Amino acid sequence: NDVRASLSTLSTNFFMAGPLNRYPAKGDRDGFAAYWHGTPPWDASKAMEWVGSMYEYMRTFWNEKTPRRYRVMGRMLPPPAYGGTALPNHFIFNAPAGPRDTTAVGPLLLLAHETGHLFVRGLQNPGGGGPSNNWFTEGMNEYYAVTLALRSGLAPLDLVLQEMNVQTRNYYTNPRKNMPADSVARANPMTDGRA
């Protein structure tokens, strides 16, 4: 492919090359398409279909009338590999490769979280920008990702309950829970504005 774009456009995009799988098999689903390489233990096509449905639900919730081109990209890496980063109109996620497990549904809430960044990205910390803003945006996005996954009826209830329990336990056992956001950002040198 020959890509011609400004440096500012190229620097805010992910690119994939190699033998890729895709959902849907051809075209897109109201602007949505997903690509991945490697073999996860879960049914990747089914998980990408799920995130496509989550994207549609979020678009309706956030009152976005016009579908846009939205892309999901996944890399299956050796464990532990879970994580993701969102950029405008797309995100990339990492997940562990592994043998097929018919009980595994995939990282649905991670996918919901990264999709949520498309809509929550513009919400700003009332206290201002800077590194402390990352904590506000991430927290807001995580709240909506889990809440909308539950409200939509798309996520398995036990998965949402498990995530809520993890978040609650992490919050109440965190020694920094009452620290101002800008102090947390200074205490964590790894904060760079990405999730």
Side-chain angles (χ1 to χ4, degrees):
N1 294 328
D2 182 20
V3 178
R4 296 173 190 266
S6 67
L7 182 57
S8 62
T9 298
L10 293 174
S11 66
T12 57
N13 280 280
F14 292 114
F15 298 88
M16 293 188 84
L20 300 177
N21 302 291
R22 78 179 322 268
Y23 170 85
K26 293 183 180 179
D28 60 45
R29 176 179 162 186
D30 291 329
F32 175 88
Y35 304 87
W36 67 96
H37 71 73
T39 306
W42 30 271
D43 185 333
S45 292
K46 192 172 179 180
M48 296 305 109
E49 181 181 10
W50 184 92
V51 76
S53 297
M54 196 69 233
Y55 167 68
E56 290 173 0
Y57 185 84
M58 286 183 176
R59 277 188 44 233
T60 301
F61 177 84
W62 292 104
N63 202 29
E64 183 178 287
K65 304 287 188 203
T66 307
R68 63 175 96 183
R69 289 181 60 154
Y70 190 69
R71 300 296 182 254
V72 171
M73 293 176 267
R75 303 179 302 168
M76 305 313 142
L77 304 171
Y82 282 113
T85 302
L87 289 174
N89 300 323
H90 65 299
F91 72 84
I92 191 164
F93 73 95
N94 304 322
R100 189 79 169 102
D101 176 357
T102 57
T103 64
V105 295
L108 301 184
L109 295 181
L110 169 67
L111 298 172
H113 174 90
E114 297 304 335
T115 303
H117 276 299
L118 177 65
F119 306 99
V120 175
R121 183 177 299 282
L123 300 177
Q124 297 299 312
N125 181 346
S132 66
N133 192 47
N134 183 50
W135 292 93
F136 177 84
T137 303
E138 283 299 322
M140 178 76 76
N141 185 42
E142 188 62 11
Y143 169 79
Y144 278 109
V146 174
T147 300
L148 296 180
L150 176 63
R151 187 185 285 186
S152 68
L154 294 170
L157 188 57
D158 60 334
L159 186 65
V160 174
L161 180 61
Q162 178 185 354
E163 182 63 22
M164 289 176 152
N165 284 331
V166 166
Q167 289 182 9
T168 301
R169 184 173 45 255
N170 288 347
Y171 175 76
Y172 284 106
T173 60
N174 190 324
R176 297 179 179 168
K177 70 178 178 280
N178 294 320
M179 188 182 281
D182 59 343
S183 298
V184 173
R186 282 194 302 274
N188 182 4
M190 298 304 288
T191 302
D192 64 0
R194 291 180 294 163

